[in-house]
Amino acid sequence: MPLPAFFAAPMAKWIMGSMAFSFMGSLATINNYKQIAKFNKQKNDIELAYKRISLNKKTARLLSEQRAGFGASGIAFTGSPLIVQNETITSYENDLWWIEKGAVLKATEIDIKLAGRITNELYSAGSSLIQGGMDIWSANERAKAAEKGIVY
């Protein structure tokens, strides 16, 4: 059954309204993705701070135990004990470097996922707009054809 010509304008308005709501929904989704990424970065920063604090406490406790052990043994605090403590500090710096690199990688992963999600959502929004435009054009063409007595 052909579409009556008088339905073309209301149909076009309905399609445009649908397109607008779809596009606004996509923008809202993008904002949600950004908020999720922001939260994940804050969580990552908190985890980094916790790992730093834990490593600092562990290293401080180890250095304290080493100093107490050396002091209790009666050995003069030169030479070998200093080398042991230097190795402890070097190990601490190495562990801290890896913890920070892990946090940087996690933040980069969050950014990459966000960019992918936004790109996907924008593609979907663009596709919806194009499809809506094609639907409006099609409705108008059918209405014009119906006026001429042509039936699809």
Side-chain angles (χ1 to χ4, degrees):
M1 183 162 145
L3 179 70
F6 62 86
F7 280 130
M11 182 71 107
K13 289 178 183 176
W14 182 83
I15 293 170
M16 287 173 34
S18 175
M19 287 170 30
F21 279 116
S22 176
F23 188 74
M24 289 186 325
S26 292
L27 293 179
T29 301
I30 288 170
N31 284 335
N32 288 341
Y33 288 153
K34 288 179 180 179
Q35 290 298 319
I36 290 167
K38 184 178 177 182
F39 169 77
N40 286 339
K41 284 184 176 184
Q42 288 173 343
K43 183 176 142 189
N44 189 39
D45 290 343
I46 291 169
E47 288 174 358
L48 173 63
Y50 175 76
K51 287 178 182 178
R52 281 182 181 157
I53 291 168
S54 295
L55 183 62
N56 287 343
K57 286 181 179 180
K58 176 183 159 192
T59 304
R61 188 172 36 253
L62 181 59
L63 288 171
S64 179
E65 289 172 1
Q66 287 173 349
R67 281 192 298 271
F70 295 139
S73 69
I75 300 173
F77 206 78
T78 59
S80 180
L82 291 176
I83 292 171
V84 170
Q85 288 210 325
N86 186 42
E87 288 174 1
T88 302
I89 296 294
T90 301
S91 175
Y92 161 78
E93 290 171 348
N94 188 31
D95 290 346
L96 185 60
W97 187 86
W98 283 109
I99 288 171
E100 290 174 353
K101 287 301 164 199
V104 169
L105 290 174
K106 183 85 171 187
T108 303
E109 178 185 0
I110 291 167
D111 288 340
I112 290 170
K113 285 181 179 179
L114 174 63
R117 288 177 175 159
I118 288 174
T119 301
N120 185 41
E121 195 61 37
L122 289 175
Y123 176 79
S124 296
S127 296
S128 294
L129 291 175
I130 291 169
Q131 183 62 46
M134 295 300 291
D135 290 345
I136 291 171
W137 177 81
S138 176
N140 286 333
E141 289 301 309
R142 286 178 182 225
K144 288 177 189 175
E147 286 175 355
K148 294 177 184 176
I150 300 171
V151 179
Y152 284 100

